[in-house]
Amino acid sequence: MKNFVKTNKGITLIALVITIIVLLILAGVTIATLTGDNGILTKATEASENTKKANAEEQVGLAVAGSRGTDGNIEMNNLNDNLRNIENLTYNNEEISSDETNRIKELPAIVNVDGYDILISEDGNTEEYVDTTEKVEDETPGILAGNGTSSNPYKIESIEDLVKFSQEVRNGNNYSGKYVRLEKNLNFDSFNSYVNYNKVYTEFENNGDINSDGIAESIKKEVTTGSGFIPIGTNYENAFAGTFQGNGKKISNIYININKEVNGTIYAGLFSYSRGTIEELTISGNISVINTGTNYNSNVYIGGIAGAIKYATVKKCANECEIYAEATNSVALGGIVGSSYDYGNTGSGTRTILDCANKGTLRAKGDTFTDIGGIIGQNYYSGKVNYSYNIGNIIIENNAGGVRVGGIVGETGQPYSQITYCYNSGNIDVKGDTVYSIGGIAGDSDGTTNIVNCYNIGNTTGNTIQNYGGIVGFISQSSSGEINMCYNNGKINLQKEGVIGGIVGTYSYSNAKCYVNNCKYSIEYPAAGKTYEDITIDAEFLDAENMPSILEIVNNSSKYKMKEGFLYPVLYWE
């Protein structure tokens, strides 16, 4: 009988709704007016939802207001007790407890009321919290699932996992022969990228004081304030040596802020140092390193992906971070990697950067030497940069010392290096008094260097540049190799000009045997600003009317293509 009554009521309700709709239609109201995006029923539903959200926010706001002490500050015990009185409110998916089991210990925090997430800010303001980052699901935060094989790699499923992984590498576990895979997009600013953003993880280093400010706070606050996230690894001895699979994911809003006195080199980036493979990863955020050490070894090697690499490969990675570096002695800064050269640990073996891109702004200041490249600052010891591009701007703030800047590589060579199928459209801005050499592709070539099928359309502005070349700024006396099938259309605007060349700025001595072949340029300077009679230069200045397309000049083996919406060629993988 009860079931019959319920069914009968359901039929009656449906009949009533149908009757109302029929009457409205007879009255001339269309179905679209009722149910469309701006329909009566749609708007009524939206109004109901907005009322529920506003009510949830108001209840939480009243709970916060009632928790303030006589000094105006929020008293956490009062806040928790007030929130406990709100019906259907949860925190960490559970009711707020009367004991310490599930209590809010610091702000900001997120509570849920009737299905609506409400953010309580640090100063007590409340608003609905909407986060587009997928919520992580990690049953063991800080413990990497998997066994490290290619079929079952160690898995990074949360920021807690990333923090613990970094700690393990710095403590000597280099993951040699092991695979580590990023399972989700992680966002340091998103509450959803933490399993428990408000937890103090005392099991992590320094008893939870990750950013070394003397106070152990919530994991989210630790990695987004103070010195922030600690890069993975420390130096050559404690470097990552496995395979890190970015899995096509992105780490967003990373925050690294190091400012300390070290009479040695600070390596920084997502990875401080790599002797393994890093692939298929994009990173964004802010990375800043200042070394205030007082001797000639006080250096900074910094890149978005890695500070330095040796016997290593970085492929299919992109940097969107803004990066700043400053040191008493020297800086090696690259959008992807800082340097492939480590004093005292040179050795043999390739260092390869493949299919990578820098989109972030790079800024640096070094009192002695500064090498900045859109992709890598120093490209040494069989270093290869292939099929990569830079669209990020580079800003030099030096007032002294030797500065070498390239749209792709700062300094390249020693003893062999290669740059092939790369392009730069990022601009270079010189704010210091004097810069030694700038090149659209490489600032300085020293050793055997082959630069092939590259082009530059980035512009250079600023004060004084001693040597500027559209492809290479300065070729040293020990340099050999070739610059072949390259193109430059970068404009230069200086307050005081030095040696300027459409392709090469300066050949330092007659025994520099780096030959230029099949190159074209469109700035009205000589192909080489300073050279010697026995140097072979096959480069041609052409105005816009007579210039072949860039594809005709640089597109050997079809590694470039034209893409809709782009005026210049892009790489095959873009």
Side-chain angles (χ1 to χ4, degrees):
M1 185 65 179
K2 289 182 180 179
N3 288 337
F4 172 77
V5 171
K6 288 183 178 180
T7 304
N8 190 47
K9 284 181 179 180
I11 293 172
T12 303
L13 180 59
I14 293 170
L16 177 60
V17 171
I18 293 173
T19 300
I20 292 171
I21 292 173
V22 170
L23 289 172
L24 288 170
I25 291 171
L26 291 173
V29 179
T30 65
I31 293 293
T33 304
L34 290 170
T35 61
D37 290 342
N38 295 308
I40 296 170
L41 295 179
T42 303
K43 289 298 182 182
T45 301
E46 290 178 0
S48 175
E49 288 294 313
N50 289 335
T51 299
K52 290 178 182 178
K53 281 189 261 186
N55 182 57
E57 187 176 333
E58 181 182 18
Q59 289 186 78
V60 175
L62 290 172
V64 174
S67 68
R68 295 186 184 275
T70 55
D71 58 359
N73 294 325
I74 297 171
E75 297 180 0
M76 298 307 295
N77 283 334
N78 289 346
L79 176 61
N80 281 282
D81 292 340
N82 290 344
L83 292 173
R84 274 171 45 81
N85 293 326
I86 298 177
E87 189 175 354
N88 296 328
L89 181 143
T90 59
Y91 171 65
N92 291 334
N93 298 318
E94 298 178 5
E95 292 184 359
I96 293 179
S97 60
S98 57
D99 56 19
E100 295 300 311
T101 306
N102 188 44
R103 304 271 284 184
I104 298 175
K105 295 181 173 62
E106 64 179 46
L107 298 177
I110 296 174
V111 296
N112 186 282
V113 182
D114 290 326
Y116 301 104
D117 286 334
I118 306 298
L119 171 66
I120 308 173
S121 69
E122 198 164 358
D123 57 7
N125 293 323
T126 59
E127 62 180 352
E128 184 190 10
Y129 179 73
V130 179
D131 194 337
T132 58
T133 303
E134 183 183 0
K135 176 65 179 174
V136 299
E137 296 178 2
D138 185 358
E139 295 180 357
T140 57
I143 300 175
L144 274 58
N147 60 18
T149 62
S150 59
S151 59
N152 185 22
Y154 292 120
K155 299 172 179 64
I156 294 178
E157 301 174 287
S158 62
I159 287 180
E160 285 94 333
D161 283 351
L162 188 66
V163 170
K164 187 63 175 179
F165 169 59
S166 171
Q167 179 180 328
E168 288 183 351
V169 176
R170 284 181 283 108
N171 287 341
N173 180 3
N174 64 18
Y175 286 81
S176 178
K178 302 296 182 182
Y179 292 79
V180 181
R181 187 172 69 201
L182 182 62
E183 294 295 307
K184 288 184 180 292
N185 295 321
L186 297 179
N187 184 344
F188 275 70
D189 284 350
S190 169
F191 294 93
N192 284 349
S193 288
Y194 304 81
V195 175
N196 190 341
Y197 65 87
N198 242 338
K199 180 177 178 180
V200 178
Y201 283 89
T202 56
E203 61 266 43
F204 290 170
E205 57 197 320
N206 298 328
N207 294 316
D209 182 19
I210 298 167
N211 64 13
S212 301
D213 66 355
I215 306 171
E217 298 174 288
S218 69
I219 179 69
K220 185 174 185 296
K221 183 170 286 188
E222 286 290 333
V223 296
T224 57
T225 63
S227 60
F229 176 76
I230 305 175
I232 300 163
T234 53
N235 51 27
Y236 176 79
E237 286 73 23
N238 290 322
F240 177 72
T243 298
F244 186 89
Q245 300 172 320
N247 198 23
K249 306 299 183 184
K250 182 176 183 177
I251 296 175
S252 301
N253 294 306
I254 193 168
Y255 175 78
I256 298 172
N257 182 27
I258 301 171
N259 187 337
K260 60 183 179 180
E261 180 179 340
V262 176
N263 290 322
T265 301
I266 298 176
Y267 301 92
L270 175 64
F271 291 79
S272 287
Y273 205 121
S274 173
R275 292 187 282 120
T277 296
I278 306 167
E279 60 188 16
E280 297 184 335
L281 176 67
T282 298
I283 183 171
S284 73
N286 285 276
I287 304 175
S288 174
V289 178
I290 300 174
N291 187 348
T292 59
T294 56
N295 70 21
Y296 65 92
N297 287 321
S298 299
N299 311 313
V300 170
Y301 287 4
I302 183 171
I305 301 299
I309 59 172
K310 182 181 179 184
Y311 314 138
T313 297
V314 180
K315 61 182 179 179
K316 297 183 179 179
C317 290
N319 172 64
E320 298 173 4
C321 293
E322 292 189 7
I323 305 177
Y324 176 75
E326 181 178 336
T328 306
N329 187 41
S330 67
V331 168
L333 164 62
I336 301 298
V337 174
S339 178
S340 62
Y341 178 64
D342 185 11
Y343 295 95
N345 286 297
T346 54
S348 60
T350 60
R351 291 95 158 139
T352 301
I353 299 175
L354 177 68
D355 295 355
C356 289
N358 175 60
K359 305 175 184 180
T361 298
L362 311 178
R363 294 190 303 125
K365 180 179 181 180
D367 286 349
T368 305
F369 294 103
T370 303
D371 295 319
I372 314 174
I375 298 298
I376 183 171
Q378 297 173 340
N379 184 43
Y380 298 146
Y381 290 93
S382 301
K384 298 179 181 179
V385 183
N386 299 330
Y387 314 119
S388 298
Y389 71 87
N390 172 59
I391 61 174
N393 293 331
I394 299 174
I395 301 170
I396 307 102
E397 300 181 357
N398 286 56
N399 290 314
V403 181
R404 296 164 291 200
V405 184
I408 299 298
V409 177
E411 184 178 32
T412 190
Q414 294 192 12
Y416 170 79
S417 67
Q418 127 186 161
I419 306 168
T420 61
Y421 295 101
C422 294
Y423 73 86
N424 171 62
S425 64
N427 296 324
I428 298 172
D429 186 9
V430 179
K431 293 188 179 299
D433 290 339
T434 302
V435 169
Y436 184 66
S437 60
I438 289 180
I441 298 299
D444 183 286
S445 173
D446 182 12
T448 301
T449 300
N450 292 321
I451 302 175
V452 182
N453 300 109
C454 296
Y455 77 84
N456 170 60
I457 56 172
N459 301 322
T460 298
T461 60
N463 296 331
T464 302
I465 299 175
Q466 293 181 22
N467 305 282
Y468 171 85
I471 300 300
V472 180
F474 184 86
I475 294 178
S476 75
Q477 62 180 356
S478 59
S479 185
S480 61
E482 67 172 342
I483 301 170
N484 190 19
M485 299 180 69
C486 292
Y487 168 78
N488 171 51
N489 189 31
K491 306 299 186 293
I492 183 165
N493 182 13
L494 302 177
Q495 293 180 12
K496 183 178 179 181
E497 294 185 357
V499 177
I500 298 176
I503 299 296
V504 176
T506 295
Y507 282 92
S508 61
Y509 293 97
S510 60
N511 58 341
K513 302 298 182 183
C514 183
Y515 297 106
V516 177
N517 299 305
N518 304 312
C519 293
K520 303 283 191 292
Y521 64 99
S522 60
I523 63 171
E524 295 186 7
Y525 289 94
K530 181 180 179 181
T531 186
Y532 293 84
E533 292 181 0
D534 60 344
I535 298 296
T536 301
I537 299 177
D538 176 12
E540 185 177 12
F541 165 77
L542 292 172
D543 57 26
E545 183 177 343
N546 297 302
M547 182 68 71
S549 71
I550 299 178
L551 280 178
E552 291 180 72
I553 301 168
V554 303
N555 197 29
N556 188 24
S557 302
S558 300
K559 300 302 182 181
Y560 290 103
K561 65 181 181 181
M562 294 306 297
K563 186 176 179 180
E564 186 177 355
F566 287 76
L567 296 176
Y568 294 92
V570 299
L571 290 162
Y572 70 96
W573 55 265
E574 292 184 71

